[in-house]
Amino acid sequence: MSDAILQVTGLTAGYSEEPIIHDMGLLAERGRITGIIGPNGCGKSTFLKAIVGIVKPTAGRVILDGADITHLPPFRTLEKGLAYIPQGRQVFPEMTVLENLKMSAYTLRDAAVVQSRFEEAFARFPKLYERRQQLAGTLSGGEQSMLSFAMAMVLQPTCMLLDEPTLGLAPTMIEQIFETIVEMNDQGISMVIVEQNINVLFQVADYIYILDSGRNRFDGLPQEVLRQEELLKLYMGVQA
């Protein structure tokens, strides 16, 4: 990979003195989709949280588009162009769809820019426009996923970290979410996706990392990963 939008080296982090991830690395190429897979509890979510600054690394570096963001707080990494959609589609349930979008735009100062980006988000997700005055907590799981994407889109990130975006969704909604991911990627947004649904992920990802016990286990092109039959059986519980 020659043109990295996101480069992580030697990242070590955890929630106490005992680290959960150890000396981990990742290289995400600009304009591409990078997938991360691995067994439950292997540190995938912690890895994303350490990259974005929610969990503070004790070692390592995170470079976004040539700038060191290792020790920046999450709102600063967001301002730098790194958006993060956590597992579980975390929206503000007691706020309306429109109020959620306004919350995501809190760093923007130009009202015309904010309005324009709201219009772009609603154009991509017309169902959200229909429900703009509805409380986010009353939306379906798929609609909350759409809202999470719309909130990230408002800030026009250069790179997005997605933590299991299809978790708990029906198959038809999974397909729609990945269509959205591909469309956003086609518009130039680089993606790093943690996903357990490897059948769908492998159809869209340009490069794959396998994690195990908080460490890098293997990485390669999707076809190279699929040749690692023992790894897939052992760590993913699937037949290659």
Side-chain angles (χ1 to χ4, degrees), residues 169-184:
L169 298 182
T172 54
M173 185 53 65
I174 290 174
E175 183 178 349
Q176 186 173 347
I177 290 300
F178 267 93
E179 286 176 358
T180 297
I181 288 171
V182 170
E183 288 172 3
M184 295 175 72

Side-chain angles (χ1 to χ4, degrees), residues 137-199:
T138 66
L139 300 176
S140 69
E143 290 166 348
Q144 288 186 26
S145 290
M146 293 179 189
L147 180 54
S148 295
F149 276 99
M151 291 168 69
M153 286 174 56
V154 165
L155 293 172
Q156 293 191 348
T158 56
C159 183
M160 290 180 63
L161 308 182
L162 311 177
D163 191 358
E164 299 204 30
T166 67
L167 183 67
L169 298 182
T172 54
M173 185 53 65
I174 290 174
E175 183 178 349
Q176 186 173 347
I177 290 300
F178 267 93
E179 286 176 358
T180 297
I181 288 171
V182 170
E183 288 172 3
M184 295 175 72
N185 179 246
D186 287 342
Q187 292 181 353
I189 300 176
S190 307
M191 302 281 186
V192 177
I193 308 173
V194 165
E195 181 57 65
Q196 288 293 89
N197 190 331
I198 68 170
N199 292 327

Side-chain angles (χ1 to χ4, degrees), residues 62-235:
V62 179
I63 307 297
L64 178 70
D65 205 10
D68 192 330
I69 63 167
T70 310
H71 299 294
L72 294 183
F75 76 94
R76 291 296 184 198
T77 63
L78 186 59
E79 289 175 347
K80 294 288 186 180
L82 184 63
Y84 168 61
I85 298 181
Q87 188 181 105
R89 302 173 289 278
Q90 295 182 14
V91 298
F92 299 100
E94 299 302 319
M95 293 183 177
T96 67
V97 167
L98 185 56
E99 288 169 340
N100 270 265
L101 290 180
K102 289 178 179 178
M103 286 294 292
S104 70
Y106 74 98
T107 61
L108 302 177
R109 298 291 177 260
D110 189 322
V113 169
V114 171
Q115 182 61 34
S116 174
R117 294 186 184 179
F118 285 0
E119 290 173 358
E120 291 174 9
F122 284 136
R124 179 174 293 277
F125 302 108
K127 189 169 290 187
L128 291 182
Y129 180 76
E130 296 172 8
R131 290 161 169 69
R132 63 191 182 280
Q133 299 301 337
Q134 185 172 326
L135 294 181
T138 66
L139 300 176
S140 69
E143 290 166 348
Q144 288 186 26
S145 290
M146 293 179 189
L147 180 54
S148 295
F149 276 99
M151 291 168 69
M153 286 174 56
V154 165
L155 293 172
Q156 293 191 348
T158 56
C159 183
M160 290 180 63
L161 308 182
L162 311 177
D163 191 358
E164 299 204 30
T166 67
L167 183 67
L169 298 182
T172 54
M173 185 53 65
I174 290 174
E175 183 178 349
Q176 186 173 347
I177 290 300
F178 267 93
E179 286 176 358
T180 297
I181 288 171
V182 170
E183 288 172 3
M184 295 175 72
N185 179 246
D186 287 342
Q187 292 181 353
I189 300 176
S190 307
M191 302 281 186
V192 177
I193 308 173
V194 165
E195 181 57 65
Q196 288 293 89
N197 190 331
I198 68 170
N199 292 327
V200 180
L201 180 64
F202 276 50
Q203 293 177 29
V204 302
D206 299 290
Y207 203 80
I208 300 286
Y209 285 82
I210 297 179
L211 309 187
D212 174 43
S213 300
R215 299 180 186 275
N216 292 94
R217 185 68 174 83
F218 184 85
D219 64 272
L221 299 172
Q223 58 267 32
E224 294 171 334
V225 174
L226 288 172
R227 288 197 290 267
Q228 305 298 311
E229 295 186 15
E230 294 305 315
L231 277 180
L232 292 176
K233 292 176 186 176
L234 182 60
Y235 298 124

Side-chain angles (χ1 to χ4, degrees), residues 18-30:
E18 183 67 24
I20 293 176
I21 60 172
H22 312 263
D23 194 30
M24 287 180 57
L26 176 139
L27 190 65
E29 192 172 2
R30 189 183 309 275

